[in-house]
Amino acid sequence: SSKARNTEIQNADDVAVLEDCTDYSLAKTISKIEEKLEKGDLPDCVDDDDDDIIPSAGNEIGAEAQIRFLKAKLRVMQEELDNVVCECRKKEDENENLKSQLKDTVEENTRLQRAISVQQSQTEKYRTLAQEANKKSEGLQQEVIALEKVLH
């Protein structure tokens, strides 16, 4: 009994607990747990005889240690879920900001297109006025030349 209890405590100490992890990564934690399972350091969470999560008393690890293991695994998964939810919220906020920027950009583009249209029509108007002024100037120059010939 004492030997089984010591094994249970030793194995429980090997469990990855979230508070002990400074550089947290679900993938790393799961791979470490899987490595320990392959080596036989941690229990299989499913009993082959029945689909009970807690193994029978005859296994090398006790139910209490297995519960600690499962709780630690649950904490790790909950932390990862919290991180994913936080990331999703950040992405949603970023999407909202980008949608707002897009709306502002579209409005600015529309305003600039109107301004360009007005400026193009003004440019065409001034081009027409300049052509008329050039024709009038040419006519007046020819008139001046004609008057100079009459005076000489």
Side-chain angles (χ1 to χ4, degrees), residues 88-104:
C88 284
R89 286 187 183 132
K90 287 178 184 176
K91 294 293 182 186
E92 286 173 358
D93 290 345
E94 184 179 347
N95 280 343
E96 289 303 316
N97 288 337
L98 290 173
K99 284 179 184 178
S100 176
Q101 288 177 5
L102 178 61
K103 181 181 176 187
D104 293 345

Side-chain angles (χ1 to χ4, degrees), residues 3-137:
K3 182 180 176 184
R5 181 75 179 150
N6 287 340
T7 303
E8 178 179 321
I9 291 171
Q10 179 184 357
N11 286 337
D13 290 341
D14 292 340
V15 172
V17 178
L18 185 61
E19 290 79 19
D20 295 340
C21 299
T22 55
D23 183 28
Y24 165 75
S25 168
L26 181 62
K28 289 180 188 175
T29 304
I30 289 176
S31 70
K32 287 178 185 176
I33 290 171
E34 288 172 344
E35 287 174 15
K36 288 182 179 184
L37 281 172
E38 288 174 8
K39 292 177 185 176
D41 291 344
L42 293 175
D44 289 331
C45 293
V46 178
D47 192 355
D48 291 337
D49 297 335
D50 56 13
D51 289 335
D52 191 14
I53 293 176
I54 300 173
S56 64
N59 289 346
E60 14 179 291
I61 187 166
E64 185 178 326
Q66 192 170 37
I67 289 172
R68 284 186 198 142
F69 165 74
L70 292 173
K71 283 182 179 180
K73 189 173 179 180
L74 178 62
R75 280 193 300 270
V76 168
M77 293 173 128
Q78 183 63 49
E79 180 66 27
E80 181 67 12
L81 176 63
D82 292 345
N83 289 340
V84 168
V85 167
C86 183
E87 264 314 298
C88 284
R89 286 187 183 132
K90 287 178 184 176
K91 294 293 182 186
E92 286 173 358
D93 290 345
E94 184 179 347
N95 280 343
E96 289 303 316
N97 288 337
L98 290 173
K99 284 179 184 178
S100 176
Q101 288 177 5
L102 178 61
K103 181 181 176 187
D104 293 345
T105 303
V106 167
E107 289 173 359
E108 179 72 8
N109 188 28
T110 303
R111 186 186 67 76
L112 291 172
Q113 288 294 336
R114 285 189 204 126
I116 287 170
S117 177
V118 167
Q119 290 174 351
Q120 284 175 340
S121 65
Q122 287 178 344
T123 301
E124 195 59 41
K125 175 183 170 184
Y126 290 130
R127 186 175 290 129
T128 303
L129 288 174
Q131 287 174 351
E132 290 174 4
N134 283 338
K135 287 179 184 177
K136 188 174 184 179
S137 174

